[in-house]
Amino acid sequence: MPITLAPDAAIDLQMHSTFSDGIWTADELLDHVAGESFSLIAVTDHDHPSATGELQRLAAERQPGVHALSAVEMSSRWNGKMLDLLCFGFDPAHNALTPIGDSTRQRQIDNIREAYDALRHMGYRFGDQDELVPRRGRPELQFDDLLDALLHNGYGDELAQALDKSGFAWINVDPAEIVEAAHASGAVCLIAHPGRGDWWPLFDTDELDRFRKVAPVDGLEIYHPTHSPESSAAYIAYAERHNLLVSTGSDSHGKPSQWPIKYRAETSRKLLERLGVEVR
């Protein structure tokens, strides 16, 4: 059934549940956005394209209802830093992104377990916790499970050193491979939070030009809590010059400091209409 939204309808196109590193289960997240009268969302659990089918099913059961796009945030790299790519509009059951995501998640889980075992072998003490286990509601280990184990056992002052000694590594995939898989799946691919910086690249216009020659993404996440109004305006101007799609996301993981944000549907009109959602 076609979806039609008013220009001021509330949307949020980047959120996370316990299918990846969120705090809320899918049910808790969907209860929140339904109760807050969101019209359309995207739950972009890291490297987990197949989870979106279950999320869409759960969203459709809500009263009042909320529409959920098929979406995922894939782990990549650029210039030695972590890079996240948002993919929208694929078939959750049949797509070229799922094998990449499954492999990435399994390699990351194996690395987290190996890092934890290495720390214990080096003399780090974790009480009676012989094995690292996922946080409540999560089907799989995440990085912050390892982080929490270190913090809760008094190693907060040496986190970086401990992680470095443990052999922990961020597992990711070349961006061109992700973009190619997204396009092969009939999906669009956008750079998540291009102005975030820190562990992530901080893209200016020249760097965006260089990146797009390597990995021809379809657009940018313009509105994000880490973006200043000035950086968002610069990215909007860049997107308009190059006919790129524009996304808006809170990047909520369920923490009180970063809950879902009610962005106006019209801010991502071009993206939504590409995905079969009419804004009028």
Side-chain angles (χ1 to χ4, degrees):
M1 179 178 177
I3 302 171
T4 300
L5 300 179
D8 62 349
I11 68 168
D12 189 336
L13 303 184
Q14 195 196 160
M15 294 181 283
H16 300 275
S17 76
T18 51
F19 274 117
S20 65
D21 57 346
I23 293 174
W24 285 342
T25 65
D27 277 315
E28 290 168 338
L29 174 55
L30 291 168
D31 283 344
H32 174 83
V33 295
E36 291 295 317
S37 300
F38 280 78
S39 295
L40 182 139
I41 61 166
V43 183
T44 54
D45 283 318
H46 296 281
D47 303 303
H48 211 327
S50 56
T52 199
E54 176 67 7
L55 285 157
Q56 288 179 313
R57 184 188 68 79
L58 292 171
E61 294 175 349
R62 261 43 191 190
Q63 292 297 332
V66 57
H67 299 289
L69 297 173
S70 60
V72 68
E73 188 173 22
M74 301 292 284
S75 301
S76 189
R77 61 187 177 274
W78 180 250
N79 288 345
K81 293 196 171 187
M82 295 189 296
L83 171 70
D84 294 324
L85 295 174
L86 295 166
C87 303
F88 301 98
F90 52 87
D91 180 343
H94 304 286
N95 62 79
L97 291 164
T98 291
I100 297 173
D102 288 349
S103 173
T104 301
R105 293 193 342 269
Q106 187 57 58
R107 288 186 295 132
Q108 189 71 79
I109 292 167
D110 292 344
N111 177 261
I112 291 169
R113 288 198 178 110
E114 290 166 2
Y116 181 73
D117 289 344
L119 288 168
R120 293 179 67 240
H121 183 73
M122 287 186 286
Y124 285 77
R125 296 289 175 255
F126 297 97
D128 297 329
Q129 190 175 359
D130 293 330
E131 183 179 354
L132 194 63
V133 295
R135 182 182 290 172
R136 177 195 69 86
R138 290 182 177 173
E140 300 172 342
L141 282 175
Q142 300 289 331
F143 165 66
D144 53 2
D145 295 318
L146 176 60
L147 197 66
D148 287 348
L150 286 164
L151 289 170
H152 291 165
N153 287 279
Y155 299 113
D157 293 336
E158 52 183 296
L159 278 178
Q161 180 184 13
L163 291 172
D164 185 59
K165 291 191 298 185
S166 73
F168 173 80
W170 293 108
I171 307 301
N172 45 49
V173 177
D174 183 83
E177 183 179 349
I178 294 172
V179 174
E180 181 180 4
H183 291 165
S185 305
V188 295
C189 188
L190 289 76
I191 299 175
H193 41 70
R196 183 170 183 172
D198 196 10
W199 289 358
W200 290 263
L202 183 60
F203 285 94
D204 58 17
T205 56
D206 291 339
E207 195 67 13
L208 285 170
D209 287 342
R210 285 190 285 271
F211 181 81
R212 290 173 56 236
K213 289 179 181 178
V214 174
V217 290
D218 304 287
L220 311 171
E221 184 179 44
I222 300 293
Y223 296 105
H224 184 272
T226 62
H227 288 184
S228 68
E230 293 77 17
S231 65
S232 292
Y235 291 135
I236 289 172
Y238 184 90
E240 290 176 348
R241 284 199 304 274
H242 296 281
N243 196 30
L244 297 174
L245 305 175
V246 167
S247 181
T248 52
S250 66
D251 207 358
S252 174
H253 286 66
K255 299 175 182 177
S257 61
Q258 197 172 345
W259 279 10
I261 296 172
K262 291 182 177 180
Y263 297 101
R264 293 169 64 91
E266 63 185 353
T267 59
S268 295
R269 181 191 299 267
K270 190 175 175 181
L271 169 61
L272 295 179
E273 291 182 347
R274 177 77 172 267
L275 299 172
V277 179
E278 186 177 0
V279 180
R280 61 177 175 84

